[in-house]
């Protein structure tokens, strides 16, 4: 389906700005000056075997343009994928909090462009390293561009923007040899962590399964920093922004992530693109946690501290509207690469808090575009253009597109009749929230930021047993790649402040003893800092656990766009495949026919169906569940196909649902799964663990399989033991 023709697509205004240059339609090739090109295959030479002539303006223009095709990649979040869409608020109930029309007028549909990204890897790196994901949304509102530039984790590593270059230098490839690519598992990152206890909360999230999402479409988003909502009366409420995916929040497992990075480094990018092309538009609800101004100090953490979250059980998330991504970009470079997001792009009705990380961000994002997008006119690039008209006295600069007419480019003026004139607040003019400030100018961090461990503990306590086990393994893996023992030791010391049991397990995995970190931890403060001032603060949090933080409690049951591999070979049972395929597709799942070779595969009656992938080009890590249909001859062939057997073992190891019909179960019976605790070759029906057998007709196999896929994974398998794969 061509997503450009999607009837739901209302982003006409953006389209108009982008004025497509379509290839096709009989155009003739031209130079950039519009001269028609007669021969694009040979350069101009002094004789057909002679030297190329400098005079060849066609060659020179083409090569010069090519030489400059690349722009600097983003210093962070270099690898990303974007999509267009729309946002609509559900009702006008937010009017008491904000005057931002896109948040209060349900008749408005606001166009958006959303870019998801990894943080550490270069632009050409793979999609599933263990990393934070960026989740940046540009709203093209009628009052100007509003950007919500968030991540898929609700907290950040550092409390003050001045530490950002250090954090990023530490996590990026090491400067002497540029190793490793897109990985935090190396000395410099963990050295920084070990000396910066404030990082522990985000580090816990980074070690959790949140850092290896199943899909961009199955990630939560968080604005992280506290912002303000401002209403017509100029009153302020603090606000935390959330995105809640309607498909639920799901992850892959670490062994799988590492394999996906090799099998399909574009896994997330492809997943987003394919879903939108197929018309399965990803959706998120916008959630707000609204906190009255007078409640600023009522929490056991500081609202301005970006390493803290506001538990949803304390301040509920109001779901106020929905974002639907319904159109893929036409051109990756022009749109996704050139998109310039900025937390400082706000509209009337939204304002900043004094969060010191946010305050520093407000400088950084414009500054970076100056070198990345080549100057101060990046707002004129189509993807960045406001749909609200722009009138001001800013002029000229590299790559200026707008042709300003008239004699005046200053304010006040009389020659231009005083235009453009300032807008009153009643006319939509932006006026900053008038916060009272009475303080000494200091280079310091507030003592209210000094509790580093209670929220990491809250997060850990909120995870399911499987999530905790994965997090423990992640620490062991990452620190196992650190070859400076002192660094490992210091990190284990920090973990011991979060949870003694976790620290003991990680220490065990690394062959270390737990040692409490040296006190006070003041590596991160100024040289003359008074140690007494920087003693960590210990807070006994009001909550022991927050169910909202565990993915085990996410929305389940929806199998829309889930990928299901059917393992086939010549001689499969046609009814078995057809009935399962029909049942799964009716629920919105996507079936992939896998066979020993590409081309066509025949059922037992001699009918052919198209093979989507051969075992050579595909692997179990690229799908959510496996089905082995009935068929005597096909099963015999599959049993002789090592990669088919490996499919079963690997999918079982990764806790994915596996269903077999009729003879198909024999493939499972020769795999390692037969040795799995509590199963035996004659009893492979482990329904509670997502391993289903049936004859495929009249025994509800499809129904049970759909339910199992809706459960996402069966992590209970890991408790009983794992199998090799
Ligand atoms: Fe940032 C890009 C999210 C702190 C400086 N950031 C960037 C992107 C996202 C975030 C999603 C990619 C946008 C896109 O798709 O183009 N950043 C965050 C969040 C933060 C955060 C959620 C903490 C709450 N960032 C942060 C700090 C600084 C920066 C403290 C600097 C002081 N971020 C940048 C940047 C980037 C950027 C260097 C790189 C490319 C760009 O801006 O356009 O300016």
């Amino acid at each position: 389906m061509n997503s450009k023709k999607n009837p739901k697509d209302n982003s006409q205004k953006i389209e108009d700005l982008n004025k497509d240059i379509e290839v096709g339609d009989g155009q003739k090739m031209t130079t950039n000056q519009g001269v028609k090109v007669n021969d694009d295959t040979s350069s101009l030479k002094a004789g057909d075997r002679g030297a190329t002539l400098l005079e060849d303006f066609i060659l020179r223009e083409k090569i010069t343009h090519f030489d400059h095709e690349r722009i600097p990649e983003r210093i962070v979040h270099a690898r990303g994928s974007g999509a267009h869409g729309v946002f609509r608020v559900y009702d006008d109930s937010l009017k008491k909090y904000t005057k931002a029309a896109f948040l209060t007028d349900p008749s408005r549909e606001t166009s958006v462009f959303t870019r998801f990204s990894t943080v550490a890897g270069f632009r050409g790196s793979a999609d599933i390293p263990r990393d934070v994901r960026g989740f940046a949304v540009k709203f093209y509102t009628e009052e100007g561009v509003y950007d919500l530039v968030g991540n898929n984790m609700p907290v950040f590593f550092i409390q003050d923007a001045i530490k950002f270059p250090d954090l990023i230098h530490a996590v990026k490839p090491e400067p002497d040899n540029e190793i490793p690519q897109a990985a935090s598992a190396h000395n410099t990152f963990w050295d920084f962590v070990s000396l910066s206890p404030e990082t522990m909360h985000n580090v816990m999230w980074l070690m959790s399964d949140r850092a290896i999402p199943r899909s961009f479409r199955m990630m939560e988003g968080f604005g992280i920093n506290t912002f303000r909502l401002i209403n017509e009366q100029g009153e302020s409420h603090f606000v935390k922004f959330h995105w809640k995916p309607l498909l639920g929040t799901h992850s892959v497992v670490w062994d799988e992530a590492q394999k996906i990075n090799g099998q399909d480094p574009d896994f997330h990018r492809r997943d987003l693109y394919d879903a939108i092309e197929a018309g399965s538009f990803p959706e998120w609800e916008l959630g707000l946690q609204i906190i009255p101004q007078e409640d600023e100090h009522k929490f056991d953490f500081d609202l301005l501290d970006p390493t803290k979250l506001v538990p949803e059980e304390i301040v509920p998330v109001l779901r106020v509207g929905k974002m639907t991504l319904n159109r893929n970009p036409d051109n990756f470079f022009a749109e996704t690469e050139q998109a310039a997001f900025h937390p400082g792009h706000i509209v009337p009705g939204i304002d900043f808090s004094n969060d010191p990380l946010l305050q520093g961000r407000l400088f950084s994002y414009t500054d970076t575009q100056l070198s990345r997008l080549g100057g101060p006119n990046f707002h004129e690039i189509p993807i960045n253009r406001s749909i609200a008209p722009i009138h001001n006295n800013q002029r000229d600069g590299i790559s200026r597109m707008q042709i300003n007419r008239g004699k005046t480019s200053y304010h006040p003026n009389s020659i231009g009749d005083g235009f453009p004139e300032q807008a009153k607040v009643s006319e939509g003019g932006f006026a900053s929230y008038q916060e009272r400030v009475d303080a000494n100018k200091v280079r310091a961090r507030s003592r209210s930021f000094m509790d580093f461990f209670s929220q990491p503990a809250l997060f850990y306590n909120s995870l399911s047993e499987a999530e905790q086990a994965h997090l423990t393994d992640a620490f062991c893996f990452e620190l196992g790649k650190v070859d400076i023992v002192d660094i490992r030791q210091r990190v284990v010391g920090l973990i011991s402040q979060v949870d003694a049991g976790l620290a003991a397990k990680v220490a065990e995995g690394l062959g270390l003893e737990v040692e409490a970190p040296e006190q006070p931890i003041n590596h991160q403060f100024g040289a003359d800092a008074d140690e007494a001032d920087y003693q960590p603060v210990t807070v006994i949090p009001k909550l022991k656990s927050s169910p909202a933080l565990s993915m085990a409690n996410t929305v389940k049951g929806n199998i829309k766009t889930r990928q299901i591999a059917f393992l086939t070979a010549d001689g499969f049972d046609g009814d078995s495949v057809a009935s399962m395929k029909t049942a799964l597709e009716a629920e919105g799942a996507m079936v992939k026919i896998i066979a020993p070779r590409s081309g066509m595969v025949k059922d037992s009656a001699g009918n052919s169906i198209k093979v989507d992938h051969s075992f050579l080009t595909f692997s179990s890590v690229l799908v959510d569940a496996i089905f082995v249909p009935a068929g005597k001859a096909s099963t015999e062939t599959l049993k002789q196909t090592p990669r088919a057997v490996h499919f079963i073992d690997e999918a079982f190891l990764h806790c994915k649902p596996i269903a077999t019909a009729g003879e198909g179960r024999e493939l499972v019976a020769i795999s390692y799964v037969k040795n799995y605790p509590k199963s035996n070759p004659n009893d492979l029906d482990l329904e509670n663990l997502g391993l289903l057998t049936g004859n495929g007709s009249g025994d509800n196999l499809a129904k049970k399989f759909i339910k199992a896929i809706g459960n996402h994974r069966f992590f209970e398998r890991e408790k009983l033991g794992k199998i090799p794969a």
Side-chain angles (χ1 to χ4, degrees):
M1 180 177 141
N2 183 348
S3 55
K4 274 202 321 197
K5 300 213 173 85
N6 162 14
K8 271 201 190 163
D9 177 10
N10 84 328
S11 40
Q12 194 53 45
K13 287 178 185 157
I14 315 286
E15 281 277 86
D16 289 348
L17 292 173
N18 278 289
K19 285 272 183 286
D20 281 354
I21 299 176
E22 294 278 357
V23 178
D25 294 345
Q27 300 103 331
K28 298 289 181 220
M29 181 186 290
T30 71
T31 68
N32 281 338
Q33 305 305 319
V35 174
K36 291 201 179 93
V37 175
N38 167 255
D39 182 350
D40 184 49
T41 61
S42 298
S43 50
L44 186 69
K45 303 182 193 76
D48 61 4
R49 297 180 57 251
T52 299
L53 300 178
L54 188 59
E55 158 190 335
D56 188 350
F57 66 95
I58 296 178
L59 169 79
R60 275 190 287 112
E61 183 197 83
K62 186 173 173 183
I63 300 290
T64 304
H65 197 277
F66 169 77
D67 288 345
H68 299 272
E69 266 176 14
R70 292 288 172 273
I71 59 173
E73 65 175 33
R74 291 166 174 83
I75 171 72
V76 281
H77 298 267
R79 173 142 186 105
S81 308
H84 294 273
V86 293
F87 171 79
R88 192 192 285 267
V89 75
Y90 291 141
D91 57 39
D92 66 0
S93 58
L94 290 176
K95 270 197 171 142
K96 52 182 178 290
Y97 302 116
T98 179
K99 58 183 171 184
F102 80 102
L103 289 176
T104 55
D105 181 354
S107 71
R108 276 202 195 190
E109 192 167 64
T110 301
S111 295
V112 299
F113 182 74
T114 298
R115 182 174 180 272
F116 304 103
S117 47
T118 55
V119 178
F122 292 177
R123 200 185 137 185
S125 56
D127 274 352
I128 312 204
R130 177 173 295 286
D131 200 354
V132 176
R133 298 299 184 288
F135 192 135
V137 183
K138 191 178 280 297
F139 296 79
Y140 302 89
T141 87
E142 289 175 31
E143 289 73 31
V145 171
Y146 168 59
D147 289 346
L148 180 49
V149 195
N151 284 341
N152 75 330
M153 301 180 187
V155 291
F156 204 64
F157 293 97
I158 46 169
Q159 297 175 320
D160 191 309
I162 201 167
K163 296 303 296 171
F164 191 69
D166 301 288
L167 166 72
I168 300 306
H169 286 172
V171 73
K172 282 270 186 180
E174 298 186 7
D176 52 348
N177 55 13
E178 210 172 72
I179 297 176
Q181 180 56 247
S184 51
H186 59 115
N187 288 340
T188 55
F189 176 68
W190 288 99
D191 189 24
F192 180 80
V193 166
S194 72
L195 300 171
S196 312
E198 72 196 84
T199 60
M200 277 315 281
H201 194 184
N202 205 156
V203 163
M204 294 291 286
W205 282 79
L206 183 66
M207 294 303 106
S208 81
D209 292 343
R210 298 273 182 156
I212 41 174
R214 160 65 183 83
S215 157
F216 290 139
R217 302 176 295 121
M218 299 171 200
M219 292 191 324
E220 285 185 293
F222 303 89
I224 302 184
N225 301 118
T226 299
F227 286 83
R228 292 173 190 278
L229 294 178
I230 309 292
N231 64 15
E232 287 289 355
Q233 292 70 45
E235 293 158 348
S236 157
H237 285 78
F238 291 109
V239 64
K240 291 273 191 191
F241 291 103
H242 297 246
W243 289 110
K244 300 282 188 188
L246 294 194
L247 291 176
T249 313
H250 303 286
S251 290
V252 300
V253 295
W254 179 231
D255 178 66
E256 197 184 358
Q258 293 183 85
K259 291 170 175 170
I260 294 172
N261 280 338
Q263 297 272 347
D264 184 5
D266 305 303
F267 185 69
H268 280 158
R269 176 175 288 194
R270 192 187 308 284
D271 167 273
L272 179 67
Y273 187 91
D274 286 354
I276 293 175
E277 285 302 295
S280 281
F281 303 137
E283 296 174 311
W284 287 260
E285 286 188 302
L286 178 68
L288 304 184
Q289 284 178 299
I290 299 176
I291 298 153
Q293 185 73 30
E294 56 275 19
D295 289 352
E296 179 174 1
H297 301 294
K298 93 167 198 200
F299 302 98
D300 49 16
F301 53 86
D302 195 324
L303 264 188
L304 302 185
D305 175 356
T307 67
K308 304 296 186 299
L309 55 83
V310 181
E312 293 186 25
E313 293 75 12
I314 294 180
V315 180
V317 176
L318 306 175
R319 297 182 180 226
V320 301
K322 193 165 75 176
M323 170 170 77
T324 306
L325 297 183
N326 57 18
R327 184 166 65 91
N328 280 314
D330 293 310
N331 183 286
F332 185 91
F333 180 84
E335 300 177 88
T336 310
E337 191 59 15
Q338 293 200 112
F341 294 88
H342 184 2
H345 291 162
I346 55 170
V347 291
I350 299 177
D351 212 329
F352 312 116
S353 75
N354 290 336
D355 171 345
L357 191 80
L358 173 60
Q359 295 282 321
R361 293 180 77 193
L362 297 179
F363 164 73
S364 183
Y365 288 71
T366 312
D367 187 49
T368 203
Q369 310 310 344
L370 297 180
S371 53
R372 200 171 75 80
L373 298 174
N377 289 315
F378 58 87
H379 62 284
E380 294 190 335
I381 297 172
I383 193 69
N384 296 324
R385 271 189 220 162
S386 157
I387 60 161
I390 297 177
H391 304 288
N392 59 41
N393 294 311
Q394 295 169 32
R395 289 291 185 275
D396 309 343
I398 289 174
S399 302
R400 181 67 167 186
M401 304 288 153
Q402 192 175 356
I403 300 173
N404 297 100
R405 300 200 172 79
K407 285 196 181 302
T408 56
S409 52
Y410 55 90
H411 171 89
N413 71 65
S414 66
I415 297 175
D417 289 337
F419 294 112
E421 63 180 0
Q422 303 165 103
K424 293 183 181 149
V425 171
S426 59
E427 295 168 327
F430 185 90
S432 292
Y433 175 67
Q434 298 198 1
E435 186 183 6
R436 187 179 156 71
V437 178
D438 179 11
N440 293 334
K441 182 159 70 181
V442 291
R443 196 178 276 283
R445 207 167 314 175
S446 169
R447 249 193 101 55
S448 55
F449 281 34
M450 298 299 157
D451 161 32
F452 305 125
F453 304 115
S454 62
Q455 284 214 347
L458 172 71
F459 176 65
Y460 185 65
N461 292 337
S462 308
L463 298 181
S464 67
E465 216 175 310
E467 287 172 310
Q468 287 188 342
H470 295 169
L471 180 146
T472 310
D473 289 349
F475 266 119
C476 293
F477 177 94
E478 294 262 320
L479 293 171
K481 296 265 188 175
V482 168
D483 52 28
I484 299 174
V485 177
D486 280 356
I487 296 177
R488 292 182 182 178
Q489 191 71 61
R490 283 200 298 269
V491 176
V492 171
L494 287 178
I495 300 172
S496 74
Q497 305 299 293
V498 176
D499 188 277
L502 172 63
K505 283 187 216 153
V506 175
E508 163 71 22
L510 296 169
L512 297 174
E513 297 292 318
V514 179
E515 287 170 19
E518 47 182 292
Q519 299 281 356
I521 306 153
N522 72 338
H523 307 279
Q524 50 176 359
F525 306 110
D528 283 324
D530 179 342
E531 294 199 348
D533 277 350
Y534 293 109
Q535 287 284 350
V537 172
T538 307
V539 170
I540 311 293
K542 289 190 188 119
L543 273 187
K544 286 275 168 276
S545 102
S546 163
L549 302 182
S550 168
M551 288 192 289
N553 302 322
T554 190
V555 186
K556 290 193 176 157
N558 187 340
I559 72 161
K560 237 175 129 185
T561 71
R562 293 300 186 144
Q563 309 279 326
I564 320 300
F566 281 30
L567 309 192
T568 67
D570 284 344
F572 68 86
D573 182 309
D575 287 345
S576 175
V577 164
S579 60
M580 186 60 89
K581 189 166 184 285
T582 308
L584 294 178
E585 288 180 346
E587 298 291 321
M590 294 168 167
V591 168
K592 302 260 183 246
I593 303 292
I594 317 297
R597 57 163 197 277
S598 307
M600 307 296 277
V601 59
K602 277 193 187 128
D603 69 14
S604 51
N607 303 312
S608 295
I609 58 169
K610 190 176 156 288
V611 175
D612 292 304
H613 295 280
S614 75
F615 284 109
L616 194 63
T617 61
F618 208 68
S619 132
S620 86
V621 296
L622 303 177
V623 292
D624 295 290
I626 314 286
F627 175 57
V628 192
K632 200 166 165 26
S634 60
T635 306
E636 281 313 310
T637 308
L638 292 175
K639 282 161 68 180
Q640 304 306 318
T641 308
R643 284 183 69 92
V645 183
H646 187 67
F647 239 87
I648 301 292
D649 287 329
E650 204 176 39
F652 193 82
L653 175 71
H654 298 150
C655 305
K656 294 176 183 174
I658 300 173
T660 64
E663 295 88 347
R665 74 197 294 275
E666 290 169 27
L667 186 62
V668 179
I670 65 154
S671 72
Y672 276 115
V673 177
K674 69 170 185 290
N675 302 321
Y676 185 70
K678 295 207 171 156
S679 79
N680 66 63
N682 300 319
D683 176 15
L684 290 172
D685 200 348
L686 305 174
E687 196 176 321
N688 293 339
L689 296 175
L691 183 65
L692 311 165
T693 56
N695 61 21
S697 59
D699 62 355
N700 280 336
L701 179 63
K703 228 175 170 176
K704 288 188 214 160
F705 194 32
I706 288 166
K707 191 162 166 240
I709 300 166
N711 188 58
H712 183 58
R713 299 290 165 101
F714 289 83
F715 291 125
E716 298 80 359
R717 282 183 203 162
E718 293 179 333
K719 263 198 287 183
L720 303 175
K722 293 187 183 177
I723 61 164

